[in-house]
Coordinates of all heavy atoms in Angstrom, one line a residue:
Chain U
M4 N 49.5 33.4 48.2 CA 48.4 33.5 49.2 C 48.0 35.0 49.3 O 48.8 35.8 49.1 CB 48.8 33.0 50.6 CG 49.0 31.5 50.7 SD 49.9 31.1 52.4 CE 48.6 31.6 53.5
P5 N 46.7 35.2 49.5 CA 46.4 36.6 49.9 C 47.2 37.1 50.9 O 47.5 36.4 51.9 CB 44.9 36.5 50.1 CG 44.6 35.2 50.6 CD 45.5 34.3 49.9
G6 N 47.4 38.5 50.9 CA 48.3 39.1 51.9 C 47.6 40.1 52.7 O 46.4 40.5 52.3
E7 N 48.2 40.7 53.6 CA 47.6 41.8 54.4 C 47.2 43.0 53.7 O 46.2 43.6 54.0 CB 48.6 42.2 55.6 CG 49.8 42.8 55.0 CD 50.8 43.3 56.2 OE1 50.4 44.2 57.1 OE2 51.9 42.9 56.3
F8 N 48.0 43.2 52.5 CA 47.6 44.3 51.7 C 46.3 44.3 50.9 O 45.5 45.2 50.7 CB 48.8 44.9 51.0 CG 49.9 45.3 51.8 CD1 51.1 44.6 51.7 CD2 49.8 46.4 52.6 CE1 52.2 45.0 52.6 CE2 50.8 46.8 53.4 CZ 52.1 46.1 53.4
D12 N 43.1 46.6 51.4 CA 42.3 47.0 50.3 C 40.9 46.8 50.4 O 40.0 47.7 50.2 CB 42.9 46.4 48.9 CG 44.1 47.0 48.5 OD1 44.6 48.0 49.0 OD2 44.7 46.4 47.5
G29 N 44.7 53.4 55.9 CA 45.4 53.1 54.6 C 46.6 54.1 54.6 O 47.5 53.9 53.8
D30 N 46.7 55.0 55.6 CA 47.9 55.9 55.7 C 48.6 55.3 57.0 O 48.2 54.3 57.6 CB 47.6 57.3 55.8 CG 48.5 58.2 55.0 OD1 49.7 58.1 55.5 OD2 48.1 58.9 54.1
D31 N 49.6 56.1 57.5 CA 50.3 55.6 58.7 C 49.4 55.8 59.8 O 49.4 54.9 60.7 CB 51.6 56.4 58.8 CG 52.7 56.1 57.7 OD1 53.4 55.1 57.9 OD2 52.6 56.8 56.8
L32 N 48.6 56.8 59.9 CA 47.6 57.0 61.0 C 46.4 57.6 60.3 O 46.6 58.2 59.3 CB 48.2 58.1 62.1 CG 49.5 57.7 62.7 CD1 49.9 58.9 63.6 CD2 49.2 56.5 63.7
A33 N 45.3 57.3 60.8 CA 44.1 58.1 60.5 C 44.1 59.5 61.1 O 44.6 59.6 62.2 CB 42.8 57.3 61.0
L35 N 41.6 62.5 62.3 CA 40.2 62.8 62.7 C 40.0 64.3 63.0 O 40.9 64.9 63.7 CB 39.8 62.0 63.9 CG 40.0 60.5 63.9 CD1 39.4 59.8 65.2 CD2 39.3 59.8 62.6
N36 N 38.9 64.9 62.6 CA 38.5 66.3 63.1 C 37.7 66.1 64.4 O 36.5 65.7 64.4 CB 37.5 66.8 62.1 CG 38.1 66.9 60.7 OD1 39.1 67.6 60.5 ND2 37.5 66.3 59.7
N39 N 35.3 70.1 68.8 CA 35.9 71.0 69.8 C 35.3 70.9 71.2 O 36.0 70.9 72.2 CB 35.8 72.4 69.4 CG 36.8 72.8 68.3 OD1 37.6 72.0 68.0 ND2 36.7 74.0 67.8
L42 N 35.0 66.1 75.2 CA 36.1 65.3 75.8 C 36.3 64.2 75.1 O 35.4 63.5 74.4 CB 35.7 65.0 77.3 CG 35.6 66.1 78.2 CD1 34.9 65.5 79.5 CD2 36.9 66.7 78.5
L43 N 37.6 63.6 75.0 CA 38.0 62.3 74.3 C 38.2 61.3 75.3 O 39.0 61.4 76.2 CB 39.2 62.7 73.6 CG 40.0 61.4 72.9 CD1 39.1 60.7 71.9 CD2 41.4 61.9 72.3
L44 N 37.4 60.2 75.2 CA 37.6 59.0 76.0 C 38.2 57.9 75.2 O 37.9 57.7 74.0 CB 36.2 58.5 76.5 CG 35.6 59.6 77.5 CD1 34.7 60.6 76.9 CD2 34.9 58.9 78.7
V45 N 39.2 57.3 75.8 CA 39.9 56.2 75.1 C 40.1 55.0 76.0 O 40.5 55.2 77.1 CB 41.2 56.8 74.5 CG1 42.1 57.3 75.6 CG2 42.0 55.7 73.7
V47 N 41.2 50.4 75.7 CA 41.4 49.2 74.8 C 41.0 47.9 75.4 O 41.1 47.8 76.7 CB 42.9 49.2 74.3 CG1 43.8 49.0 75.6 CG2 43.2 48.2 73.3
D48 N 40.5 46.9 74.7 CA 40.3 45.6 75.2 C 40.7 44.6 74.1 O 40.6 44.8 73.0 CB 38.8 45.4 75.6 CG 38.4 45.7 77.0 OD1 39.2 45.3 77.9 OD2 37.3 46.3 77.2
Q49 N 41.2 43.4 74.7 CA 41.6 42.4 73.8 C 40.8 41.1 74.1 O 40.1 40.9 75.2 CB 43.1 42.0 74.0 CG 43.4 41.5 75.5 CD 44.9 41.5 75.7 OE1 45.7 41.3 74.9 NE2 45.2 41.6 77.1
A80 N 29.8 52.4 80.2 CA 30.1 52.5 81.6 C 30.4 53.9 81.9 O 30.3 54.4 83.1 CB 31.3 51.6 82.0
M81 N 31.0 54.7 80.9 CA 31.4 56.1 81.0 C 30.3 57.0 80.6 O 30.5 58.2 80.6 CB 32.7 56.4 80.3 CG 33.9 55.5 80.7 SD 34.5 55.8 82.4 CE 35.4 57.4 82.2
T91 N 43.5 45.4 66.0 CA 44.6 44.6 65.6 C 44.1 43.1 65.5 O 43.2 42.8 66.3 CB 45.8 44.5 66.5 OG1 45.5 44.0 67.8 CG2 46.4 45.9 66.8
A92 N 44.6 42.4 64.5 CA 44.4 40.9 64.4 C 45.6 40.2 64.3 O 46.4 40.5 63.4 CB 43.5 40.7 63.2
D125 N 45.9 46.9 62.3 CA 47.1 46.3 62.0 C 46.9 44.7 62.0 O 46.4 44.2 62.9 CB 48.2 46.6 63.1 CG 49.5 45.9 62.8 OD1 49.9 45.8 61.6 OD2 50.3 45.7 63.8
A127 N 48.4 40.9 61.2 CA 49.7 40.1 61.1 C 49.2 38.6 61.2 O 48.2 38.3 61.7 CB 50.6 40.5 62.1
S128 N 50.0 37.7 60.7 CA 49.9 36.3 60.8 C 51.0 35.7 61.6 O 52.1 36.2 61.5 CB 49.7 35.6 59.4 OG 50.8 35.9 58.6
T138 N 40.7 49.2 70.2 CA 40.9 50.6 70.9 C 39.7 51.4 70.5 O 39.4 51.6 69.3 CB 42.1 51.3 70.6 OG1 43.1 50.3 70.9 CG2 42.3 52.5 71.3
T150 N 32.4 58.4 86.2 CA 33.6 57.5 86.6 C 33.2 56.5 87.7 O 32.0 56.4 88.1 CB 34.7 58.4 87.2 OG1 34.4 58.9 88.4 CG2 35.1 59.5 86.2
R151 N 34.2 55.7 88.2 CA 34.0 54.8 89.2 C 34.2 55.4 90.6 O 33.9 54.8 91.6 CB 35.0 53.6 89.1 CG 35.0 52.9 87.8 CD 36.1 51.9 87.7 NE 36.1 51.1 86.5 CZ 37.0 50.1 86.2 NH1 38.0 49.9 87.1 NH2 36.9 49.5 85.1
D198 N 30.7 48.8 83.9 CA 30.1 47.7 83.3 C 30.5 46.4 84.0 O 31.6 46.3 84.4 CB 30.2 47.7 81.8 CG 31.6 47.4 81.3 OD1 32.6 47.9 81.9 OD2 31.7 46.5 80.3
R205 N 33.4 41.7 92.2 CA 34.6 42.5 92.0 C 34.5 43.9 91.3 O 35.1 44.7 91.8 CB 35.6 41.6 91.0 CG 36.9 42.2 90.9 CD 37.9 41.4 90.1 NE 38.2 40.1 90.8 CZ 39.3 40.0 91.8 NH1 39.9 41.1 92.0 NH2 39.5 38.9 92.4
R212 N 36.5 50.8 96.1 CA 37.8 51.2 96.3 C 38.1 52.6 95.7 O 38.7 53.6 96.4 CB 38.8 50.2 95.7 CG 40.1 50.4 96.4 CD 41.0 49.1 95.9 NE 41.2 49.2 94.5 CZ 42.5 49.0 94.0 NH1 43.5 48.8 94.7 NH2 42.6 49.1 92.6
Q213 N 37.7 52.8 94.5 CA 37.9 54.1 93.8 C 37.2 55.2 94.4 O 37.5 56.4 94.2 CB 37.8 54.0 92.3 CG 39.0 53.0 91.8 CD 39.0 52.8 90.3 OE1 39.0 51.6 89.9 NE2 39.0 53.8 89.5
E296 N 40.0 37.5 87.7 CA 41.2 38.3 87.6 C 42.3 37.4 87.0 O 42.5 36.3 87.3 CB 41.7 38.6 89.1 CG 43.0 39.5 88.9 CD 43.5 39.9 90.3 OE1 43.0 39.5 91.3 OE2 44.5 40.7 90.4
H297 N 43.0 38.0 85.9 CA 44.1 37.3 85.3 C 45.3 37.2 86.3 O 45.7 38.2 86.9 CB 44.6 38.0 84.0 CG 43.6 37.8 82.9 ND1 43.5 36.8 82.1 CD2 42.6 38.7 82.5 CE1 42.6 36.9 81.3 NE2 41.9 38.0 81.5
R298 N 45.9 36.0 86.5 CA 47.1 35.8 87.2 C 48.2 36.0 86.3 O 48.3 35.6 85.1 CB 47.1 34.4 87.8 CG 46.0 34.1 88.7 CD 46.2 34.8 90.1 NE 45.0 35.2 90.8 CZ 44.9 36.1 91.7 NH1 45.9 36.8 92.0 NH2 43.7 36.3 92.2
I299 N 49.2 36.7 86.8 CA 50.5 37.0 86.0 C 51.6 36.2 86.4 O 52.0 36.0 87.5 CB 50.7 38.5 86.2 CG1 49.6 39.4 85.7 CG2 52.1 38.9 85.5 CD1 49.9 40.9 85.8
Chain N
M33 N 49.1 34.1 93.3 CA 50.0 34.7 92.3 C 49.6 36.1 92.2 O 48.4 36.5 92.3 CB 49.9 33.9 91.0 CG 50.4 32.7 90.9 SD 50.0 31.8 89.4 CE 51.0 32.8 88.2
P34 N 50.5 37.0 91.9 CA 50.2 38.4 91.6 C 49.1 38.4 90.5 O 49.2 37.6 89.5 CB 51.4 39.1 91.3 CG 52.4 38.1 90.9 CD 51.9 36.8 91.7
G35 N 48.1 39.3 90.5 CA 47.1 39.4 89.5 C 47.2 40.7 88.7 O 47.9 41.6 89.0
E36 N 46.3 40.7 87.7 CA 46.3 41.9 86.9 C 46.0 43.2 87.6 O 46.4 44.2 87.2 CB 45.3 41.8 85.7 CG 43.8 41.6 86.2 CD 42.8 41.5 85.1 OE1 42.8 42.4 84.2 OE2 42.1 40.5 85.0
F37 N 45.2 43.1 88.8 CA 44.8 44.3 89.4 C 46.1 44.8 90.3 O 46.2 46.0 90.5 CB 43.6 44.2 90.3 CG 42.4 43.8 89.4 CD1 41.8 42.6 89.5 CD2 42.0 44.7 88.5 CE1 40.6 42.2 88.7 CE2 40.9 44.5 87.7 CZ 40.2 43.1 87.8
D41 N 47.5 48.4 89.8 CA 47.8 49.4 90.8 C 49.3 50.0 90.7 O 49.5 51.1 90.8 CB 47.8 48.6 92.2 CG 46.3 48.4 92.7 OD1 45.5 49.0 92.1 OD2 46.2 47.6 93.5
G58 N 42.6 53.2 85.0 CA 41.9 52.8 86.3 C 40.5 52.8 86.3 O 39.9 52.3 87.2
D59 N 39.9 53.6 85.3 CA 38.5 53.6 85.0 C 38.2 52.8 83.8 O 39.1 52.1 83.4 CB 37.9 55.1 85.0 CG 36.7 55.3 85.7 OD1 35.7 54.6 85.3 OD2 36.7 56.1 86.6
D60 N 36.9 52.8 83.4 CA 36.6 52.1 82.3 C 37.3 52.6 81.0 O 37.8 51.8 80.1 CB 35.1 52.0 82.0 CG 34.4 51.2 83.1 OD1 34.3 49.9 83.1 OD2 34.0 51.9 84.1
L61 N 37.4 53.9 80.9 CA 38.1 54.5 79.8 C 38.9 55.7 80.5 O 38.4 56.2 81.5 CB 37.2 55.1 78.7 CG 36.3 54.1 78.0 CD1 35.3 54.8 77.1 CD2 37.2 53.2 77.2
A62 N 39.9 56.2 79.9 CA 40.5 57.4 80.3 C 39.9 58.5 79.6 O 39.2 58.4 78.6 CB 42.0 57.4 79.8
L64 N 40.4 62.4 78.2 CA 41.4 63.4 77.8 C 40.7 64.7 77.4 O 39.6 64.8 76.9 CB 42.1 62.9 76.7 CG 42.7 61.5 76.8 CD1 43.6 61.2 75.5 CD2 43.5 61.3 78.0
N65 N 41.3 65.8 77.9 CA 41.0 67.2 77.4 C 41.7 67.4 76.0 O 42.9 67.7 76.0 CB 41.4 68.2 78.3 CG 40.8 68.1 79.7 OD1 39.6 68.1 79.9 ND2 41.7 68.0 80.7
N68 N 41.7 72.0 71.5 CA 40.7 72.4 70.5 C 41.2 72.5 69.1 O 40.6 72.1 68.1 CB 40.0 73.7 70.9 CG 39.0 73.5 71.9 OD1 38.5 72.4 72.2 ND2 38.4 74.5 72.4
L71 N 44.0 68.5 65.2 CA 43.6 67.3 64.6 C 44.0 66.1 65.5 O 45.1 66.2 66.1 CB 44.1 67.1 63.2 CG 43.6 68.2 62.2 CD1 44.4 68.1 60.9 CD2 42.0 68.0 61.9
L72 N 43.2 65.0 65.5 CA 43.5 63.8 66.3 C 44.0 62.7 65.3 O 43.3 62.3 64.4 CB 42.3 63.4 67.0 CG 42.3 62.1 67.7 CD1 43.4 62.0 68.7 CD2 41.0 61.8 68.3
L73 N 45.2 62.3 65.5 CA 45.7 61.2 64.7 C 45.7 60.0 65.5 O 46.0 60.0 66.7 CB 47.0 61.5 64.1 CG 47.1 62.7 63.0 CD1 47.4 64.0 63.8 CD2 48.0 62.5 62.0
V74 N 45.3 58.8 65.0 CA 45.2 57.6 65.7 C 45.6 56.3 64.8 O 45.3 56.4 63.6 CB 43.8 57.4 66.2 CG1 42.8 57.3 65.2 CG2 43.7 56.2 67.1
V76 N 47.4 51.9 65.3 CA 47.8 50.9 66.2 C 48.8 50.0 65.5 O 48.7 49.8 64.3 CB 46.5 50.1 66.6 CG1 45.7 49.5 65.5 CG2 46.8 49.1 67.7
D77 N 49.7 49.4 66.3 CA 50.6 48.4 65.9 C 50.7 47.4 67.0 O 50.7 47.7 68.2 CB 52.0 49.0 65.6 CG 52.1 49.5 64.0 OD1 51.7 48.7 63.2 OD2 52.7 50.5 63.9
Q78 N 51.0 46.2 66.5 CA 51.2 45.1 67.5 C 52.6 44.4 67.2 O 53.2 44.6 66.1 CB 50.1 43.9 67.2 CG 50.1 43.4 65.8 CD 48.9 42.5 65.6 OE1 48.3 41.9 66.4 NE2 48.7 42.3 64.2
M110 N 53.6 60.9 59.9 CA 52.5 61.9 59.6 C 52.9 63.2 60.1 O 52.2 64.2 60.0 CB 51.3 61.4 60.4 CG 50.8 60.0 60.0 SD 50.1 59.9 58.4 CE 48.5 60.8 58.4
T120 N 47.8 46.9 75.1 CA 47.4 45.5 75.6 C 48.6 44.7 75.7 O 49.6 44.7 75.0 CB 46.4 44.8 74.6 OG1 47.0 44.6 73.4 CG2 45.1 45.7 74.4
A121 N 48.5 43.8 76.7 CA 49.5 42.7 76.8 C 48.8 41.4 77.0 O 48.0 41.2 77.9 CB 50.5 43.0 78.0
D154 N 45.0 47.0 78.8 CA 44.3 45.7 79.1 C 45.4 44.6 79.2 O 46.1 44.4 78.3 CB 43.3 45.4 78.0 CG 42.5 44.2 78.4 OD1 42.2 43.9 79.6 OD2 42.0 43.4 77.4
S157 N 46.5 37.0 80.8 CA 47.3 35.9 80.7 C 46.6 34.8 79.9 O 45.4 34.6 80.0 CB 47.8 35.5 82.1 OG 46.8 35.2 82.9
T167 N 48.3 51.5 70.9 CA 47.6 52.4 70.1 C 48.1 53.9 70.4 O 48.1 54.2 71.6 CB 46.0 52.3 70.4 OG1 45.5 51.1 70.1 CG2 45.2 53.4 69.6
T179 N 50.4 62.9 54.4 CA 49.9 61.6 54.0 C 50.8 61.0 53.0 O 51.9 61.5 52.7 CB 48.5 61.8 53.5 OG1 48.6 62.5 52.2 CG2 47.6 62.6 54.4
R180 N 50.4 59.8 52.6 CA 51.1 59.0 51.6 C 50.6 59.5 50.2 O 51.2 59.1 49.2 CB 50.9 57.6 51.7 CG 51.3 57.0 53.1 CD 50.8 55.5 53.1 NE 51.3 54.9 54.4 CZ 51.0 53.7 54.7 NH1 50.3 52.8 53.9 NH2 51.5 53.2 55.9
D227 N 57.0 56.0 57.0 CA 58.2 55.5 57.6 C 58.4 54.1 57.0 O 57.6 53.4 56.6 CB 58.0 55.4 59.3 CG 57.0 54.4 59.7 OD1 56.0 54.3 59.1 OD2 57.5 53.6 60.6
D230 N 58.0 48.4 56.0 CA 58.0 47.2 55.2 C 59.1 47.1 54.2 O 59.2 46.0 53.4 CB 56.6 47.3 54.5 CG 55.4 47.2 55.3 OD1 55.5 46.6 56.3 OD2 54.4 47.8 55.0
R234 N 58.6 48.3 48.9 CA 57.1 48.2 49.2 C 56.6 49.6 49.7 O 55.4 50.0 49.3 CB 56.8 47.1 50.2 CG 55.3 46.9 50.3 CD 55.1 45.6 51.2 NE 55.4 44.4 50.4 CZ 54.5 43.8 49.5 NH1 53.4 44.4 49.2 NH2 55.0 42.7 48.9
H238 N 53.7 52.0 48.3 CA 52.4 52.6 49.0 C 52.3 54.0 48.5 O 51.1 54.5 48.3 CB 52.6 52.5 50.5 CG 52.6 51.1 51.1 ND1 51.8 50.1 50.6 CD2 53.4 50.5 52.1 CE1 51.9 49.1 51.4 NE2 52.9 49.2 52.2
R241 N 51.2 54.3 44.8 CA 49.8 53.8 44.6 C 48.8 54.9 45.1 O 47.9 55.2 44.5 CB 49.6 52.5 45.2 CG 48.3 51.7 44.6 CD 48.3 50.4 45.1 NE 48.0 50.3 46.4 CZ 47.0 49.5 47.1 NH1 46.3 48.7 46.3 NH2 46.9 49.6 48.4
Q242 N 49.1 55.3 46.4 CA 48.1 56.2 47.0 C 48.2 57.7 46.4 O 47.3 58.4 46.5 CB 48.4 56.2 48.4 CG 47.9 54.9 49.1 CD 48.0 54.7 50.5 OE1 48.6 53.7 51.0 NE2 47.5 55.6 51.3
E325 N 55.3 41.3 53.7 CA 53.8 41.2 53.7 C 53.4 40.0 54.5 O 53.8 39.0 54.1 CB 53.3 41.4 52.3 CG 51.7 41.3 52.4 CD 51.0 41.4 51.0 OE1 51.7 41.3 50.0 OE2 49.9 41.6 51.0
H326 N 52.4 40.2 55.5 CA 52.0 39.0 56.1 C 51.0 38.3 55.2 O 50.2 38.9 54.6 CB 51.2 39.5 57.4 CG 52.0 39.9 58.5 ND1 52.7 38.9 59.3 CD2 52.5 41.1 58.9 CE1 53.4 39.7 60.2 NE2 53.3 40.9 59.9
R327 N 51.2 37.0 55.1 CA 50.2 36.1 54.4 C 49.1 35.7 55.3 O 49.3 35.4 56.4 CB 51.0 34.8 53.8 CG 52.0 35.1 52.8 CD 51.5 35.7 51.5 NE 52.3 36.6 50.8 CZ 51.9 37.4 49.8 NH1 50.7 37.4 49.4 NH2 52.7 38.2 49.3
I328 N 47.9 35.7 54.8 CA 46.7 35.3 55.5 C 46.2 34.0 55.1 O 46.0 33.8 54.0 CB 45.6 36.5 55.3 CG1 46.0 37.9 55.8 CG2 44.3 36.1 56.1 CD1 45.2 38.9 55.6

Side-chain angles (χ1 to χ4, degrees):
Chain U
M4 283 171 76
E7 62 175 304
F8 297 114
D12 284 349
D30 219 300
D31 294 277
L32 299 171
L35 308 184
N36 301 301
N39 282 352
L42 293 169
L43 168 62
L44 292 92
V45 60
V47 63
D48 264 320
Q49 62 191 335
M81 303 293 285
T91 66
D125 182 30
S128 55
T138 300
T150 69
R151 301 174 177 180
D198 68 315
R205 188 170 290 276
R212 200 173 64 136
Q213 292 179 232
E296 179 178 12
H297 286 279
R298 296 288 149 199
I299 296 176
Chain N
M33 286 172 73
E36 61 175 305
F37 297 115
D41 285 348
D59 220 299
D60 294 277
L61 299 171
L64 309 184
N65 300 301
N68 282 352
L71 293 170
L72 168 63
L73 293 92
V74 60
V76 62
D77 265 319
Q78 62 190 335
M110 303 293 285
T120 66
D154 182 31
S157 55
T167 300
T179 68
R180 301 175 176 179
D227 69 314
D230 296 327
R234 187 169 291 276
H238 292 318
R241 200 173 64 136
Q242 291 178 234
E325 178 177 14
H326 287 279
R327 295 289 149 199
I328 296 176

